[in-house]
Amino acid sequence: MQPTQPSHSLPQRVHMSSRDYAGRDKAEALRELFGRALMRVDLWACQDAVPLDFHVTLMPLGAGTAAYAYSEHTPAHFAHRPAHIGAGADDLLLTTTQHGCTIRSAGGDLEIPAGGFVLHSKARAHEFIHRWGGRTASLQLPRATLAARVPGLEEAPLRRLHAGIPEPALAMGYAQLLAAGPGLSAPLLHSARLHLQELVAGMLLGPGQPGARPPAGDAVDVPRLALIQRDILARIAQSELSLAQIARLHHITPRQVQRLFAREGTCFSDYVRDARLERARAALADPAQRHRRVLAIALESGFDDFSAFSRAFRRRFGMTPSEVRGASG
């Protein structure tokens, strides 16, 4: 999915930090403003822990209540109490934590392991106990959109998801990618939200359940390819970057990776080459890097053969690397 120019009517990401507040009544101010007013929870530091400190980024995913939230926090309790349950507030959240946590509800305690996933509801009173702090991420989706895909979905689910299914990590990774990237146009954001809904519905049904079916091809392939492309770009300077390495990273076969790129009319090697060429062109056109040798830029962009780099560069841009540098200044 290629980003386009964002629509100015779309909601933007919001950043909140406890460091924005100081004073003797800081703890109560955080509980009131961040907790009860904004997050609809009671929050307080775990016993014997350092004072409560957290940073939250919230990214609305288009119309409605779909959103992605990412936080870094000290050990804390986050309690969603009966008083916080408003009329019609029944959105579902897919949550994962870096170090694991305990979820306490009327049905008892539910232990979530480090990196595990839980699906929970805003219509249920429950408490997250994060004894070790760390990073927490949540994907929020309207219950109605999931209930339409999941026959018999309970009113307020609280489920620890099976560790062996790939959809939770895929959905969370895709939501994180959407939140971290440039703003999307309304049509692309709508499409991305549908993919997320399909992935979450698939993990709720599970194999063998009535109405169970695998998520639609696009719902898996589009997020997976986007995450593969992200990880390629993060490693693009590594000359030894390989198809097998990326396939292992995503727990799929090299053939499956190639199939995903074929959907876009390209292949793994072409995507890597073009990404490296774009990186090199940007560096060559940067006046701040005019002092650097072209060879150094080529090597830093992942090329280990300067002649091959020069030929590919001219085919791609119709200019030599030196000509691009000369045109920039």
Side-chain angles (χ1 to χ4, degrees):
M1 181 181 64
Q2 297 300 318
T4 63
Q5 291 299 314
S7 165
H8 295 297
S9 63
L10 294 179
Q12 300 299 308
R13 60 181 59 86
V14 176
H15 303 282
M16 300 177 288
S17 174
S18 58
R19 294 181 184 173
D20 295 335
Y21 292 83
R24 290 180 302 173
D25 59 348
K26 176 178 177 177
E28 184 55 34
L30 292 177
R31 293 183 71 175
E32 185 60 37
L33 179 61
F34 283 92
R36 297 162 189 156
L38 294 178
M39 300 163 61
R40 301 290 295 167
V41 295
D42 263 334
L43 68 162
W44 65 96
C46 285
Q47 186 176 8
D48 300 325
V50 296
L52 181 64
D53 190 21
F54 62 86
H55 313 277
V56 179
T57 298
L58 176 66
M59 174 62 184
L61 299 176
T65 58
Y68 169 82
Y70 171 84
S71 65
E72 297 183 17
H73 52 85
T74 52
H77 293 248
F78 295 83
H80 187 64
R81 303 190 188 281
H84 301 137
I85 300 174
D90 60 352
D91 298 317
L92 302 185
L93 295 103
L94 175 69
T95 296
T96 184
T97 66
Q98 178 186 13
H99 298 302
C101 65
T102 300
I103 301 179
R104 183 161 294 161
S105 69
D109 288 358
L110 183 65
E111 298 295 332
I112 308 301
F117 289 86
V118 60
L119 187 97
H120 53 113
S121 170
K122 283 191 171 182
R124 177 192 289 264
H126 59 292
E127 176 184 341
F128 274 79
I129 305 172
H130 297 277
R131 295 185 177 85
W132 303 278
R135 299 186 297 270
T136 298
S138 293
L139 169 63
Q140 176 175 298
L141 294 171
R143 182 189 177 280
T145 62
L146 296 174
R149 293 171 167 82
V150 183
L153 178 64
E154 59 262 49
E155 288 296 321
L158 176 60
R159 300 189 192 178
R160 180 176 52 205
L161 299 176
H162 190 275
I165 59 176
E167 288 89 355
L170 185 57
M172 193 66 75
Y174 189 47
Q176 181 184 39
L177 183 63
L178 295 172
L184 298 181
S185 66
L188 282 178
L189 198 54
H190 175 72
S191 175
R193 192 167 64 250
L194 291 179
H195 294 329
L196 289 169
Q197 292 169 1
E198 187 78 16
L199 283 170
V200 175
M203 67 182 81
L204 286 175
L205 282 168
Q209 293 189 28
R213 54 182 173 78
D218 279 356
V220 174
D221 290 350
V222 171
R224 180 168 280 163
L225 179 58
L227 293 174
I228 285 173
Q229 290 172 336
R230 176 200 64 185
D231 290 338
I232 288 173
L233 294 177
R235 295 164 175 77
I236 202 65
Q238 301 173 8
S239 60
E240 69 276 12
L241 179 65
S242 68
L243 173 61
Q245 176 188 354
I246 292 297
R248 285 194 302 271
L249 183 65
H250 288 265
H251 307 290
I252 59 178
T253 66
R255 183 185 181 99
Q256 288 174 298
V257 175
Q258 289 288 35
R259 181 183 64 80
L260 293 172
F261 279 103
R263 285 172 48 97
E264 303 295 314
T266 186
C267 65
F268 173 83
S269 58
D270 286 352
Y271 181 84
V272 170
R273 181 202 61 218
D274 290 347
R276 285 174 170 161
L277 289 170
E278 290 290 348
R279 177 184 171 122
R281 182 171 72 100
L284 289 165
D286 182 2
Q289 301 192 50
R290 288 186 62 82
H291 65 285
R292 303 185 62 208
R293 297 175 61 196
V294 175
L295 174 60
I297 289 175
L299 293 173
E300 187 183 75
S301 299
F303 291 95
D304 55 7
D305 184 324
F306 186 73
S307 297
F309 162 71
S310 297
R311 291 192 299 270
F313 194 97
R314 183 156 194 162
R315 283 196 303 268
R316 173 77 171 172
F317 303 116
M319 304 172 70
T320 66
S322 297
E323 288 170 339
V324 167
R325 166 162 280 174
S328 68

